[in-house]
Amino acid sequence: MSAEAAVRVEDKLYLNRYLVDSGRAHIKVRPHAKPSAALLSLLKLCPAHCYEMNSAGQVEIATDGCIECGTCRIVAEPSGDIEWNYPRGGYGVLFKFG
Amino acid sequence: MIDERFDAIVVGAGMAGNAAALTLAQRGLKVLQLERGEYSGSKNVQGAILYADMLEKLVPDFRDDAPLERHLVEQRFWMMDDNSHTGLHYRSDEFNEERPNRYTIIRAQFDKWFSKKVQEAGAVVLCETTVLELLQDAYGKVIGVRTDRNSGKIGADVVVLAEGVSGLLGTRAGLRKMPDKNNVALAVKEMHFLPQETLEARFNLRGDEGAVIEAVGTISQGMTGMGFIYTNKESISLGIGCLVADFEKTGQTPYGLLEKFKQHPSVAALIAGSEVKEYAAHLIPEGGFKAIPQLYGDGWVVVGDAAQLNNAVHREGSNLAMTSGRLAAEAIFQIKSRRDPMTKKNLALYKKMLDESFVMKDLKKYRDMPDLLHIQAQNFFLTYPQLVSKAMTNFLRVDGTPKREKEKATFRSFLTARSPMGLVGDAVRLARAWR
Ligand SMILES: Cc1cc2nc3c(=O)[nH]c(=O)nc-3n(C[C@H](O)[C@H](O)[C@H](O)COP(=O)(O)OP(=O)(O)OC[C@H]3O[C@@H](n4cnc5c(N)ncnc54)[C@H](O)[C@@H]3O)c2cc1C
Ligand code: SF4
């Protein structure tokens, strides 16, 4: 088993504090039939593993665990694959240490 | 309709924004600072080493009450392969001086303290407020901001963009381009807690002494990147960062890399038994001098990471952020004192002051480093550390092989991995970029 398979990001995210703004995802994936290369790369690039492939082969995002690093914006906003915003003031991840 | 007016609005309460807002408020300007986090620091991530000199210029007696973790007496640099590290240690008792030069800090706590200073100086600080957009007049002059609070639009003579590396406002308003994935690193970081005595014994520290380790080698899997281990009072900040474009190319996951770094025998021993309390990630601007955007315009200036003012070679960012924030504020104050308008022409003063400071001088000195390190990543971050490890193990193992033969073997291994021309070329390129 590789080290990668052994690490569950979800367990790491449990350590963090979040104030989730339910129903207001701050990042949206543009609807697509077949994901672009940029979108596919986010499956691995996102440090919070927010991007996942659904059963129809499309890339989806669940922003609840987002640590607001901005990586997906750099990679996929220029091509229009995603729409990226900050959460509303006060919402999102709340670092105790940072 | 603009509801309220200020002399200056500062967007962001990180290192750059706090420095700017503090300086402006100390000079008596009417300042509004807006921060999207619950408090200043709640969104910020850093290693983190704090450089005293740049903070002293803002808060001379900061040592009295700032939340400092440890002052640094030892710096280690590790070249790693899969099982070993070759280290360079520098430790000096001279760093145990009365006014130490470098400290470790915990950003969320430090920024909160910094923000209190800003408020005491008289700035209005509004947290939990995301700025959505810059307001511009028909000529493109920035005249204020729109936030996600009900109150809406707020006006100012000048807006200081201290929005950090991911800054949306400046890029959306077309004032600068979004950072390129070849020029930003993604760092992931964990906070490992250990009893103070255990930590001090493992790192050979007494009292408030601290040590830091920077590491390169197979841990980044051939990508341009670095690992770090910083000692706090009773915790260790541990992380690793690599260029976003490299992550994309290799398909490595950031957390996978972090996990392997933690499992390396040299690292595992240092964090054994620790309790992890947070997992964070952040971008670092690494493009250096060549990536610096336009820094000022009609009614606006940009400071800190948003302006790519970050020295990746020396792992310095917060001090450049603080200095650029302070200089921008001083320039604004001078213009204001002359009762001149905040035009592009007048705000060029900020750039002039920055050019004369260590910020631009250092970034200029290393202007060729990013190209060299990013393009030659394989050699500098994989081949050389592996070769050094091989040479060390070869040198230290006593097995009856004559020393001369060992030296030859080491030399041969360098030549096979990298041709003689390659080696000479790398040395020359590195020397040039370092100049
Ligand atoms: C892992 C890591 C290790 C590092 N180690 C070191 C180190 O050891 N030493 C060092 O000197 N530097 C280090 N740096 C670099 C340093 O952290 C940065 O250079 C520094 O924080 C930049 O300060 P800033 O004020 O420009 O940006 P930030 O500190 O990022 O602050 C930006 C602020 O703006 C706010 N903001 C952004 N957009 C909006 C908006 N629209 N509305 C309201 N608020 C907004 C954010 O919430 C944030 O508080 C490190 C960085 C990382 C990621
Ligand atoms: S901002 Fe960072 S953590 Fe959030 S979804 Fe994008 S890549 Fe993932």
Side-chain angles (χ1 to χ4, degrees):
Chain A
M1 194 168 63
S2 74
E4 229 165 89
V7 40
R8 277 182 26 103
V9 191
E10 293 73 14
D11 295 340
K12 290 182 189 289
L13 300 179
Y14 277 126
L15 304 167
N16 296 347
R17 271 168 75 220
Y18 292 96
L19 187 59
V20 176
D21 200 358
S22 356
R24 287 201 195 215
H26 60 284
I27 305 168
K28 293 192 181 89
V29 177
R30 183 175 61 181
H32 54 275
K34 213 174 138 267
S36 64
L39 274 182
L40 285 174
S41 74
L42 296 180
L43 299 172
K44 290 195 152 186
L45 255 175
C46 169
H49 203 295
C50 293
Y51 290 87
E52 251 179 318
M53 181 88 94
N54 67 18
S55 53
Q58 290 143 352
V59 173
E60 284 180 346
I61 182 165
T63 52
D64 289 5
C66 174
I67 34 186
E68 299 169 29
C69 69
T71 306
C72 57
R73 175 183 176 227
I74 303 277
V75 171
E77 198 190 58
S79 54
D81 283 315
I82 64 167
E83 197 191 303
W84 200 95
N85 281 294
Y86 282 120
R88 269 199 297 164
Y91 287 92
V93 72
L94 301 162
F95 292 123
K96 274 179 298 195
F97 307 107
Chain B
M1 257 300 281
I2 287 200
D3 308 308
E4 221 188 324
R5 276 203 72 81
F6 288 84
D7 292 330
I9 292 174
V10 178
V11 180
M15 289 291 193
N18 282 338
L22 178 69
T23 309
L24 289 166
Q26 281 169 341
R27 306 280 188 284
L29 268 67
K30 191 177 170 206
V31 189
L32 172 68
Q33 187 182 33
L34 300 162
E35 165 58 47
R36 64 189 194 86
E38 182 188 31
Y39 55 87
S40 166
S42 62
K43 297 289 185 186
N44 301 339
V45 180
Q46 195 183 323
I49 302 175
L50 171 82
Y51 304 93
D53 180 73
M54 291 77 193
L55 179 59
E56 231 167 24
K57 291 205 165 67
L58 293 154
V59 188
D61 53 1
F62 76 89
R63 291 181 181 84
D64 293 349
D65 58 352
L68 305 169
E69 293 288 314
R70 291 176 179 276
H71 70 275
L72 298 178
V73 296
E74 182 169 326
Q75 176 93 35
R76 305 181 191 171
F77 180 73
W78 284 2
M79 295 231 257
M80 304 173 83
D81 76 356
D82 290 336
N83 304 304
S84 71
H85 75 263
T86 308
L88 180 78
H89 289 201
Y90 183 72
R91 185 183 177 104
S92 171
D93 195 46
E94 279 185 20
F95 289 134
N96 278 318
E97 57 213 320
E98 204 172 309
R99 302 160 77 78
N101 177 255
R102 299 187 309 158
Y103 296 88
T104 48
I105 54 166
I106 291 174
R107 268 300 287 275
Q109 295 163 6
F110 180 85
D111 286 13
K112 220 184 205 173
W113 166 87
F114 204 172
S115 177
K116 213 173 100 226
K117 298 283 165 196
V118 174
Q119 292 168 48
E120 284 166 7
V124 179
V125 181
L126 264 189
C127 291
E128 302 189 295
T129 310
T130 301
V131 181
L132 298 176
E133 155 186 55
L134 289 175
L135 303 176
Q136 287 168 287
D137 69 11
Y139 305 98
K141 181 180 196 295
V142 173
I143 53 167
V145 300
R146 188 169 68 82
T147 77
D148 63 353
R149 291 217 172 209
N150 300 335
S151 56
K153 299 178 175 179
I154 317 167
D157 294 344
V158 61
V159 175
V160 179
L161 293 164
E163 48 180 342
V165 57
S166 306
L168 288 173
L169 303 175
T171 50
R172 296 238 162 118
L175 308 180
R176 62 172 192 273
K177 277 195 297 209
M178 198 156 92
D180 179 327
K181 62 188 177 190
N182 290 295
N183 279 337
V184 276
L186 164 64
V188 281
K189 180 194 158 190
E190 283 180 357
M191 287 296 283
H192 287 252
F193 282 76
L194 278 173
Q196 200 165 323
E197 317 79 69
T198 314
L199 187 146
E200 283 165 11
R202 282 185 193 173
F203 286 86
N204 190 22
L205 303 170
R206 281 171 312 169
D208 283 342
E209 289 176 345
V212 296
I213 304 172
E214 316 275 2
V216 297
T218 51
I219 48 162
S220 74
Q221 313 277 333
M223 300 185 273
T224 304
M226 226 184 213
F228 62 88
I229 299 172
Y230 296 165
T231 54
N232 304 315
K233 269 209 181 85
E234 45 185 36
S235 64
I236 296 170
S237 306
L238 177 150
I240 186 162
C242 294
L243 279 189
V244 170
D246 281 359
F247 270 122
E248 200 182 7
K249 252 181 270 160
T250 59
Q252 294 279 340
T253 64
Y255 35 89
L257 214 61
L258 180 67
E259 227 39 45
K260 279 190 199 146
F261 183 46
K262 279 160 56 185
Q263 285 164 9
H264 188 284
S266 301
V267 179
L270 293 174
I271 54 169
S274 66
E275 188 192 349
V276 186
K277 292 200 181 170
E278 192 167 81
Y279 169 67
H282 205 274
L283 295 177
I284 308 177
E286 305 234 320
F289 189 74
K290 293 178 182 169
I292 297 172
Q294 174 66 30
L295 294 171
Y296 59 92
D298 284 327
W300 64 274
V301 290
V302 57
V303 295
D305 274 11
Q308 298 261 338
L309 302 174
N310 201 300
N311 184 344
V313 178
H314 284 259
R315 315 264 92 196
E316 292 177 27
S318 64
N319 51 336
L320 279 65
M322 282 191 274
T323 304
S324 59
R326 177 174 61 81
L327 293 178
E330 280 173 7
I332 290 168
F333 174 69
Q334 280 191 31
I335 298 166
K336 179 92 188 166
S337 317
R338 295 195 301 255
R339 296 176 195 281
D340 282 342
M342 296 293 161
T343 56
K344 181 172 183 179
K345 188 161 159 270
N346 289 332
L347 286 165
L349 177 62
Y350 159 52
K351 171 76 169 28
K352 188 166 162 276
M353 289 163 80
L354 205 61
D355 283 342
E356 285 161 8
S357 73
F358 80 95
V359 174
M360 286 302 214
K361 285 185 183 154
D362 282 0
L363 291 175
K364 199 165 182 182
K365 170 175 178 344
Y366 291 123
R367 65 186 172 279
D368 293 328
M369 278 308 261
D371 286 346
L372 177 66
L373 294 180
H374 300 175
I375 294 159
Q376 301 257 337
Q378 282 280 339
N379 293 328
F380 287 109
F381 294 93
L382 195 64
T383 311
Y384 289 140
Q386 277 173 326
L387 288 173
V388 169
S389 299
K390 223 193 263 168
M392 282 311 288
T393 186
N394 195 22
F395 182 72
L396 295 172
R397 257 182 212 290
V398 177
D399 55 7
T401 315
K403 300 292 184 235
R404 173 153 242 136
E405 269 173 47
K406 287 193 171 213
E407 276 170 22
K408 270 196 194 145
T410 296
F411 190 59
R412 262 198 314 273
S413 71
F414 272 77
L415 288 186
T416 356
R418 202 82 187 96
S419 70
M421 279 317 284
L423 279 177
V424 173
D426 287 350
V428 171
R429 277 189 287 270
L430 191 63
R432 271 213 198 114
W434 195 265
R435 197 167 44 186

